[in-house]
Amino acid sequence: MDAESFLEFASQVTKWKMYPYFDVAHSVLCALHVRDDLGPGALAFSRKHPISCWLSTMLVVFAGGMLSAALLGEPPLAPLKNTQQLVIASAVWYLVFYTPFDIGYSIAKFLPVKLVFSVMKEIYRCKKVHDGVLHAAKLYPNAYIIMILIGTLKGNGASFTKIIERLLRGVWTPTSIETLQPSFTTKACIIASVVFVLDIKSDLISAPHAFVYVFVIGFFIYFKVFSSMILGIHEPMLPFENLICAIFFGGIFDYTTKAFKSTKDEKVDTKKKD
């Protein structure tokens, strides 16, 4: 494929509609997340508390839109006005939790099916991050931090509402807040948001916008699907984080202080022995 053909393909990718297929993939993986988070008692919980189960699933599905809307001064429930998407999410929730012989859940967990849905989900995530950055840029043209924040929340809002989503199911886990232990998905959304901000608001990226968009999709698919699901590498950025923390966030000074204290203690012990 030559450069012109690839650019034409990339331009078409930026125009892909998310409804209904990508919405279905997103909803399926969100419902699977809720069910897996419930653990072995998921079916019993869904039978005993269907409303709580549905509410927590809908919160996961629409978390990004609801969080970003609330922070931008818009109605937090605005994402729920999309009746078609709400119907899709509710239908998927029902199929994952209530189909006879648990067929819906078994099909969704079947690895080839889950891989396809995961790839579609990452394309959907890229679209959400991109739209979040654009929306924030229109409201706050020079507020780059806001653009990055909204893009990140749009792409991975479910991680930031995890504490509320579990609370809807009667579980209080304050240590599960995303800012304490950010997942790789959050870090990837931050990187993607920064790339889109640089592409939209600066001249640092000279590549066509469509190429940048497809590059971000490839970044998500490679690290979130191929690296995590196939190779089992869940924190590919950990070596870089350790290096950055050692250099910029006190790591070197802590090691130096510790080594100095150890040397000093050894000298004191030697004098006492003498």
PDB file of all heavy atoms in Angstrom, residues 174-204:
ATOM      1  N   PRO A 174     -12.578   2.223  48.968  1.00  0.00           N
ATOM      2  CA  PRO A 174     -11.974   3.550  48.755  1.00  0.00           C
ATOM      3  C   PRO A 174     -10.576   3.515  48.156  1.00  0.00           C
ATOM      4  O   PRO A 174     -10.137   4.475  47.529  1.00  0.00           O
ATOM      5  CB  PRO A 174     -11.958   4.159  50.165  1.00  0.00           C
ATOM      6  CG  PRO A 174     -12.033   2.994  51.093  1.00  0.00           C
ATOM      7  CD  PRO A 174     -12.843   1.964  50.392  1.00  0.00           C
ATOM      8  N   THR A 175      -9.866   2.411  48.335  1.00  0.00           N
ATOM      9  CA  THR A 175      -8.508   2.333  47.785  1.00  0.00           C
ATOM     10  C   THR A 175      -8.497   2.035  46.285  1.00  0.00           C
ATOM     11  O   THR A 175      -7.436   2.016  45.667  1.00  0.00           O
ATOM     12  CB  THR A 175      -7.708   1.233  48.507  1.00  0.00           C
ATOM     13  OG1 THR A 175      -8.408  -0.020  48.404  1.00  0.00           O
ATOM     14  CG2 THR A 175      -7.527   1.580  49.975  1.00  0.00           C
ATOM     15  N   SER A 176      -9.670   1.797  45.692  1.00  0.00           N
ATOM     16  CA  SER A 176      -9.728   1.484  44.269  1.00  0.00           C
ATOM     17  C   SER A 176      -9.792   2.735  43.403  1.00  0.00           C
ATOM     18  O   SER A 176      -9.968   2.638  42.191  1.00  0.00           O
ATOM     19  CB  SER A 176     -10.945   0.595  43.971  1.00  0.00           C
ATOM     20  OG  SER A 176     -12.153   1.295  44.215  1.00  0.00           O
ATOM     21  N   ILE A 177      -9.667   3.907  44.009  1.00  0.00           N
ATOM     22  CA  ILE A 177      -9.719   5.140  43.236  1.00  0.00           C
ATOM     23  C   ILE A 177      -8.553   5.175  42.247  1.00  0.00           C
ATOM     24  O   ILE A 177      -7.420   4.816  42.569  1.00  0.00           O
ATOM     25  CB  ILE A 177      -9.713   6.373  44.172  1.00  0.00           C
ATOM     26  CG1 ILE A 177      -9.966   7.651  43.376  1.00  0.00           C
ATOM     27  CG2 ILE A 177      -8.416   6.456  44.959  1.00  0.00           C
ATOM     28  CD1 ILE A 177     -10.259   8.848  44.262  1.00  0.00           C
ATOM     29  N   GLU A 178      -8.828   5.577  41.024  1.00  0.00           N
ATOM     30  CA  GLU A 178      -7.870   5.445  39.928  1.00  0.00           C
ATOM     31  C   GLU A 178      -6.620   6.299  40.123  1.00  0.00           C
ATOM     32  O   GLU A 178      -5.534   5.920  39.661  1.00  0.00           O
ATOM     33  CB  GLU A 178      -8.555   5.826  38.602  1.00  0.00           C
ATOM     34  CG  GLU A 178      -7.722   5.635  37.355  1.00  0.00           C
ATOM     35  CD  GLU A 178      -7.443   4.178  37.007  1.00  0.00           C
ATOM     36  OE1 GLU A 178      -8.001   3.293  37.679  1.00  0.00           O
ATOM     37  OE2 GLU A 178      -6.667   3.938  36.066  1.00  0.00           O
ATOM     38  N   THR A 179      -6.731   7.418  40.780  1.00  0.00           N
ATOM     39  CA  THR A 179      -5.567   8.284  40.953  1.00  0.00           C
ATOM     40  C   THR A 179      -4.498   7.681  41.864  1.00  0.00           C
ATOM     41  O   THR A 179      -3.339   8.085  41.819  1.00  0.00           O
ATOM     42  CB  THR A 179      -6.000   9.646  41.523  1.00  0.00           C
ATOM     43  OG1 THR A 179      -6.789   9.439  42.704  1.00  0.00           O
ATOM     44  CG2 THR A 179      -6.824  10.418  40.504  1.00  0.00           C
ATOM     45  N   LEU A 180      -4.881   6.715  42.704  1.00  0.00           N
ATOM     46  CA  LEU A 180      -3.899   6.056  43.564  1.00  0.00           C
ATOM     47  C   LEU A 180      -3.042   5.068  42.785  1.00  0.00           C
ATOM     48  O   LEU A 180      -1.826   5.016  42.945  1.00  0.00           O
ATOM     49  CB  LEU A 180      -4.614   5.332  44.717  1.00  0.00           C
ATOM     50  CG  LEU A 180      -5.255   6.199  45.796  1.00  0.00           C
ATOM     51  CD1 LEU A 180      -5.981   5.328  46.810  1.00  0.00           C
ATOM     52  CD2 LEU A 180      -4.203   7.049  46.494  1.00  0.00           C
ATOM     53  N   GLN A 181      -3.687   4.274  41.955  1.00  0.00           N
ATOM     54  CA  GLN A 181      -2.984   3.286  41.145  1.00  0.00           C
ATOM     55  C   GLN A 181      -3.535   3.334  39.720  1.00  0.00           C
ATOM     56  O   GLN A 181      -4.363   2.501  39.331  1.00  0.00           O
ATOM     57  CB  GLN A 181      -3.145   1.887  41.726  1.00  0.00           C
ATOM     58  CG  GLN A 181      -2.452   1.688  43.072  1.00  0.00           C
ATOM     59  CD  GLN A 181      -2.608   0.281  43.606  1.00  0.00           C
ATOM     60  OE1 GLN A 181      -3.607  -0.400  43.316  1.00  0.00           O
ATOM     61  NE2 GLN A 181      -1.635  -0.185  44.368  1.00  0.00           N
ATOM     62  N   PRO A 182      -3.116   4.304  38.930  1.00  0.00           N
ATOM     63  CA  PRO A 182      -3.652   4.425  37.568  1.00  0.00           C
ATOM     64  C   PRO A 182      -3.321   3.204  36.719  1.00  0.00           C
ATOM     65  O   PRO A 182      -2.190   2.711  36.751  1.00  0.00           O
ATOM     66  CB  PRO A 182      -2.980   5.692  37.025  1.00  0.00           C
ATOM     67  CG  PRO A 182      -1.787   5.897  37.897  1.00  0.00           C
ATOM     68  CD  PRO A 182      -2.135   5.347  39.236  1.00  0.00           C
ATOM     69  N   SER A 183      -4.306   2.733  35.999  1.00  0.00           N
ATOM     70  CA  SER A 183      -4.114   1.572  35.137  1.00  0.00           C
ATOM     71  C   SER A 183      -3.386   1.980  33.863  1.00  0.00           C
ATOM     72  O   SER A 183      -3.264   3.171  33.538  1.00  0.00           O
ATOM     73  CB  SER A 183      -5.473   0.969  34.782  1.00  0.00           C
ATOM     74  OG  SER A 183      -6.258   1.911  34.056  1.00  0.00           O
ATOM     75  N   PHE A 184      -2.930   0.987  33.111  1.00  0.00           N
ATOM     76  CA  PHE A 184      -2.266   1.298  31.847  1.00  0.00           C
ATOM     77  C   PHE A 184      -3.235   1.968  30.877  1.00  0.00           C
ATOM     78  O   PHE A 184      -2.821   2.811  30.071  1.00  0.00           O
ATOM     79  CB  PHE A 184      -1.684   0.034  31.214  1.00  0.00           C
ATOM     80  CG  PHE A 184      -1.142   0.274  29.831  1.00  0.00           C
ATOM     81  CD1 PHE A 184       0.023   1.010  29.648  1.00  0.00           C
ATOM     82  CD2 PHE A 184      -1.827  -0.197  28.720  1.00  0.00           C
ATOM     83  CE1 PHE A 184       0.505   1.258  28.373  1.00  0.00           C
ATOM     84  CE2 PHE A 184      -1.340   0.045  27.446  1.00  0.00           C
ATOM     85  CZ  PHE A 184      -0.170   0.770  27.268  1.00  0.00           C
ATOM     86  N   THR A 185      -4.518   1.605  30.945  1.00  0.00           N
ATOM     87  CA  THR A 185      -5.499   2.228  30.061  1.00  0.00           C
ATOM     88  C   THR A 185      -5.559   3.729  30.286  1.00  0.00           C
ATOM     89  O   THR A 185      -5.609   4.512  29.331  1.00  0.00           O
ATOM     90  CB  THR A 185      -6.891   1.612  30.307  1.00  0.00           C
ATOM     91  OG1 THR A 185      -6.816   0.194  30.159  1.00  0.00           O
ATOM     92  CG2 THR A 185      -7.897   2.157  29.305  1.00  0.00           C
ATOM     93  N   THR A 186      -5.536   4.151  31.538  1.00  0.00           N
ATOM     94  CA  THR A 186      -5.531   5.578  31.844  1.00  0.00           C
ATOM     95  C   THR A 186      -4.272   6.241  31.309  1.00  0.00           C
ATOM     96  O   THR A 186      -4.329   7.323  30.701  1.00  0.00           O
ATOM     97  CB  THR A 186      -5.641   5.796  33.364  1.00  0.00           C
ATOM     98  OG1 THR A 186      -6.901   5.290  33.821  1.00  0.00           O
ATOM     99  CG2 THR A 186      -5.544   7.272  33.711  1.00  0.00           C
ATOM    100  N   LYS A 187      -3.132   5.608  31.517  1.00  0.00           N
ATOM    101  CA  LYS A 187      -1.873   6.175  31.024  1.00  0.00           C
ATOM    102  C   LYS A 187      -1.879   6.272  29.495  1.00  0.00           C
ATOM    103  O   LYS A 187      -1.414   7.265  28.922  1.00  0.00           O
ATOM    104  CB  LYS A 187      -0.703   5.320  31.489  1.00  0.00           C
ATOM    105  CG  LYS A 187      -0.581   5.194  33.000  1.00  0.00           C
ATOM    106  CD  LYS A 187       0.399   4.113  33.396  1.00  0.00           C
ATOM    107  CE  LYS A 187       0.330   3.792  34.873  1.00  0.00           C
ATOM    108  NZ  LYS A 187       1.170   2.638  35.250  1.00  0.00           N
ATOM    109  N   ALA A 188      -2.434   5.238  28.842  1.00  0.00           N
ATOM    110  CA  ALA A 188      -2.500   5.251  27.384  1.00  0.00           C
ATOM    111  C   ALA A 188      -3.421   6.364  26.889  1.00  0.00           C
ATOM    112  O   ALA A 188      -3.125   7.024  25.877  1.00  0.00           O
ATOM    113  CB  ALA A 188      -2.995   3.894  26.870  1.00  0.00           C
ATOM    114  N   CYS A 189      -4.520   6.595  27.595  1.00  0.00           N
ATOM    115  CA  CYS A 189      -5.440   7.673  27.212  1.00  0.00           C
ATOM    116  C   CYS A 189      -4.793   9.040  27.414  1.00  0.00           C
ATOM    117  O   CYS A 189      -5.039   9.964  26.622  1.00  0.00           O
ATOM    118  CB  CYS A 189      -6.734   7.582  28.019  1.00  0.00           C
ATOM    119  SG  CYS A 189      -7.810   6.204  27.546  1.00  0.00           S
ATOM    120  N   ILE A 190      -3.983   9.183  28.449  1.00  0.00           N
ATOM    121  CA  ILE A 190      -3.254  10.444  28.658  1.00  0.00           C
ATOM    122  C   ILE A 190      -2.293  10.688  27.500  1.00  0.00           C
ATOM    123  O   ILE A 190      -2.224  11.792  26.939  1.00  0.00           O
ATOM    124  CB  ILE A 190      -2.497  10.416  29.997  1.00  0.00           C
ATOM    125  CG1 ILE A 190      -3.477  10.402  31.170  1.00  0.00           C
ATOM    126  CG2 ILE A 190      -1.568  11.618  30.110  1.00  0.00           C
ATOM    127  CD1 ILE A 190      -2.818  10.217  32.532  1.00  0.00           C
ATOM    128  N   ILE A 191      -1.552   9.648  27.111  1.00  0.00           N
ATOM    129  CA  ILE A 191      -0.615   9.778  25.993  1.00  0.00           C
ATOM    130  C   ILE A 191      -1.356  10.136  24.708  1.00  0.00           C
ATOM    131  O   ILE A 191      -0.940  11.031  23.959  1.00  0.00           O
ATOM    132  CB  ILE A 191       0.184   8.482  25.812  1.00  0.00           C
ATOM    133  CG1 ILE A 191       1.097   8.242  27.021  1.00  0.00           C
ATOM    134  CG2 ILE A 191       1.012   8.518  24.536  1.00  0.00           C
ATOM    135  CD1 ILE A 191       1.782   6.891  27.025  1.00  0.00           C
ATOM    136  N   ALA A 192      -2.475   9.435  24.451  1.00  0.00           N
ATOM    137  CA  ALA A 192      -3.262   9.710  23.243  1.00  0.00           C
ATOM    138  C   ALA A 192      -3.808  11.134  23.260  1.00  0.00           C
ATOM    139  O   ALA A 192      -3.808  11.823  22.228  1.00  0.00           O
ATOM    140  CB  ALA A 192      -4.402   8.702  23.133  1.00  0.00           C
ATOM    141  N   SER A 193      -4.261  11.597  24.418  1.00  0.00           N
ATOM    142  CA  SER A 193      -4.782  12.961  24.530  1.00  0.00           C
ATOM    143  C   SER A 193      -3.689  13.989  24.249  1.00  0.00           C
ATOM    144  O   SER A 193      -3.928  14.984  23.557  1.00  0.00           O
ATOM    145  CB  SER A 193      -5.364  13.188  25.929  1.00  0.00           C
ATOM    146  OG  SER A 193      -6.450  12.319  26.183  1.00  0.00           O
ATOM    147  N   VAL A 194      -2.501  13.745  24.779  1.00  0.00           N
ATOM    148  CA  VAL A 194      -1.374  14.655  24.526  1.00  0.00           C
ATOM    149  C   VAL A 194      -1.054  14.697  23.036  1.00  0.00           C
ATOM    150  O   VAL A 194      -0.824  15.775  22.456  1.00  0.00           O
ATOM    151  CB  VAL A 194      -0.142  14.219  25.342  1.00  0.00           C
ATOM    152  CG1 VAL A 194       1.096  15.008  24.920  1.00  0.00           C
ATOM    153  CG2 VAL A 194      -0.392  14.401  26.835  1.00  0.00           C
ATOM    154  N   VAL A 195      -1.042  13.529  22.397  1.00  0.00           N
ATOM    155  CA  VAL A 195      -0.761  13.473  20.955  1.00  0.00           C
ATOM    156  C   VAL A 195      -1.802  14.265  20.170  1.00  0.00           C
ATOM    157  O   VAL A 195      -1.462  15.052  19.267  1.00  0.00           O
ATOM    158  CB  VAL A 195      -0.721  12.003  20.474  1.00  0.00           C
ATOM    159  CG1 VAL A 195      -0.665  11.939  18.949  1.00  0.00           C
ATOM    160  CG2 VAL A 195       0.478  11.280  21.061  1.00  0.00           C
ATOM    161  N   PHE A 196      -3.074  14.100  20.502  1.00  0.00           N
ATOM    162  CA  PHE A 196      -4.129  14.821  19.793  1.00  0.00           C
ATOM    163  C   PHE A 196      -4.048  16.330  20.058  1.00  0.00           C
ATOM    164  O   PHE A 196      -4.286  17.137  19.155  1.00  0.00           O
ATOM    165  CB  PHE A 196      -5.505  14.291  20.187  1.00  0.00           C
ATOM    166  CG  PHE A 196      -5.861  12.989  19.533  1.00  0.00           C
ATOM    167  CD1 PHE A 196      -6.413  11.947  20.284  1.00  0.00           C
ATOM    168  CD2 PHE A 196      -5.656  12.789  18.181  1.00  0.00           C
ATOM    169  CE1 PHE A 196      -6.746  10.743  19.677  1.00  0.00           C
ATOM    170  CE2 PHE A 196      -5.983  11.588  17.563  1.00  0.00           C
ATOM    171  CZ  PHE A 196      -6.525  10.563  18.319  1.00  0.00           C
ATOM    172  N   VAL A 197      -3.718  16.705  21.284  1.00  0.00           N
ATOM    173  CA  VAL A 197      -3.567  18.135  21.597  1.00  0.00           C
ATOM    174  C   VAL A 197      -2.427  18.737  20.781  1.00  0.00           C
ATOM    175  O   VAL A 197      -2.560  19.821  20.197  1.00  0.00           O
ATOM    176  CB  VAL A 197      -3.334  18.344  23.103  1.00  0.00           C
ATOM    177  CG1 VAL A 197      -2.900  19.787  23.379  1.00  0.00           C
ATOM    178  CG2 VAL A 197      -4.596  18.027  23.891  1.00  0.00           C
ATOM    179  N   LEU A 198      -1.292  18.040  20.725  1.00  0.00           N
ATOM    180  CA  LEU A 198      -0.163  18.530  19.936  1.00  0.00           C
ATOM    181  C   LEU A 198      -0.511  18.594  18.460  1.00  0.00           C
ATOM    182  O   LEU A 198      -0.084  19.514  17.740  1.00  0.00           O
ATOM    183  CB  LEU A 198       1.058  17.618  20.142  1.00  0.00           C
ATOM    184  CG  LEU A 198       1.680  17.627  21.535  1.00  0.00           C
ATOM    185  CD1 LEU A 198       2.813  16.607  21.617  1.00  0.00           C
ATOM    186  CD2 LEU A 198       2.192  19.015  21.892  1.00  0.00           C
ATOM    187  N   ASP A 199      -1.289  17.632  17.996  1.00  0.00           N
ATOM    188  CA  ASP A 199      -1.670  17.606  16.584  1.00  0.00           C
ATOM    189  C   ASP A 199      -2.628  18.745  16.248  1.00  0.00           C
ATOM    190  O   ASP A 199      -2.524  19.367  15.186  1.00  0.00           O
ATOM    191  CB  ASP A 199      -2.319  16.254  16.266  1.00  0.00           C
ATOM    192  CG  ASP A 199      -2.734  16.149  14.812  1.00  0.00           C
ATOM    193  OD1 ASP A 199      -1.928  16.513  13.937  1.00  0.00           O
ATOM    194  OD2 ASP A 199      -3.875  15.718  14.542  1.00  0.00           O
ATOM    195  N   ILE A 200      -3.550  19.037  17.167  1.00  0.00           N
ATOM    196  CA  ILE A 200      -4.588  20.036  16.893  1.00  0.00           C
ATOM    197  C   ILE A 200      -4.107  21.459  17.173  1.00  0.00           C
ATOM    198  O   ILE A 200      -4.396  22.388  16.410  1.00  0.00           O
ATOM    199  CB  ILE A 200      -5.846  19.728  17.734  1.00  0.00           C
ATOM    200  CG1 ILE A 200      -6.460  18.397  17.305  1.00  0.00           C
ATOM    201  CG2 ILE A 200      -6.886  20.839  17.602  1.00  0.00           C
ATOM    202  CD1 ILE A 200      -7.526  17.877  18.254  1.00  0.00           C
ATOM    203  N   LYS A 201      -3.344  21.619  18.265  1.00  0.00           N
ATOM    204  CA  LYS A 201      -3.044  22.964  18.752  1.00  0.00           C
ATOM    205  C   LYS A 201      -1.604  23.429  18.494  1.00  0.00           C
ATOM    206  O   LYS A 201      -1.243  24.531  18.902  1.00  0.00           O
ATOM    207  CB  LYS A 201      -3.312  23.033  20.259  1.00  0.00           C
ATOM    208  CG  LYS A 201      -4.721  22.633  20.669  1.00  0.00           C
ATOM    209  CD  LYS A 201      -5.768  23.578  20.088  1.00  0.00           C
ATOM    210  CE  LYS A 201      -5.700  24.944  20.718  1.00  0.00           C
ATOM    211  NZ  LYS A 201      -6.797  25.824  20.267  1.00  0.00           N
ATOM    212  N   SER A 202      -0.792  22.628  17.863  1.00  0.00           N
ATOM    213  CA  SER A 202       0.591  23.043  17.633  1.00  0.00           C
ATOM    214  C   SER A 202       1.064  22.530  16.275  1.00  0.00           C
ATOM    215  O   SER A 202       0.376  21.769  15.597  1.00  0.00           O
ATOM    216  CB  SER A 202       1.512  22.525  18.736  1.00  0.00           C
ATOM    217  OG  SER A 202       1.738  21.135  18.587  1.00  0.00           O
ATOM    218  N   ASP A 203       2.272  22.953  15.911  1.00  0.00           N
ATOM    219  CA  ASP A 203       2.884  22.526  14.649  1.00  0.00           C
ATOM    220  C   ASP A 203       3.983  21.491  14.875  1.00  0.00           C
ATOM    221  O   ASP A 203       4.784  21.218  13.977  1.00  0.00           O
ATOM    222  CB  ASP A 203       3.476  23.738  13.920  1.00  0.00           C
ATOM    223  CG  ASP A 203       2.407  24.759  13.555  1.00  0.00           C
ATOM    224  OD1 ASP A 203       1.285  24.336  13.250  1.00  0.00           O
ATOM    225  OD2 ASP A 203       2.700  25.971  13.592  1.00  0.00           O
ATOM    226  N   LEU A 204       4.018  20.911  16.080  1.00  0.00           N
ATOM    227  CA  LEU A 204       5.069  19.955  16.399  1.00  0.00           C
ATOM    228  C   LEU A 204       4.901  18.647  15.634  1.00  0.00           C
ATOM    229  O   LEU A 204       5.880  17.942  15.380  1.00  0.00           O
ATOM    230  CB  LEU A 204       5.083  19.680  17.908  1.00  0.00           C
ATOM    231  CG  LEU A 204       5.460  20.875  18.797  1.00  0.00           C
ATOM    232  CD1 LEU A 204       5.359  20.487  20.272  1.00  0.00           C
ATOM    233  CD2 LEU A 204       6.866  21.356  18.470  1.00  0.00           C
TER     234      LEU A 204
END
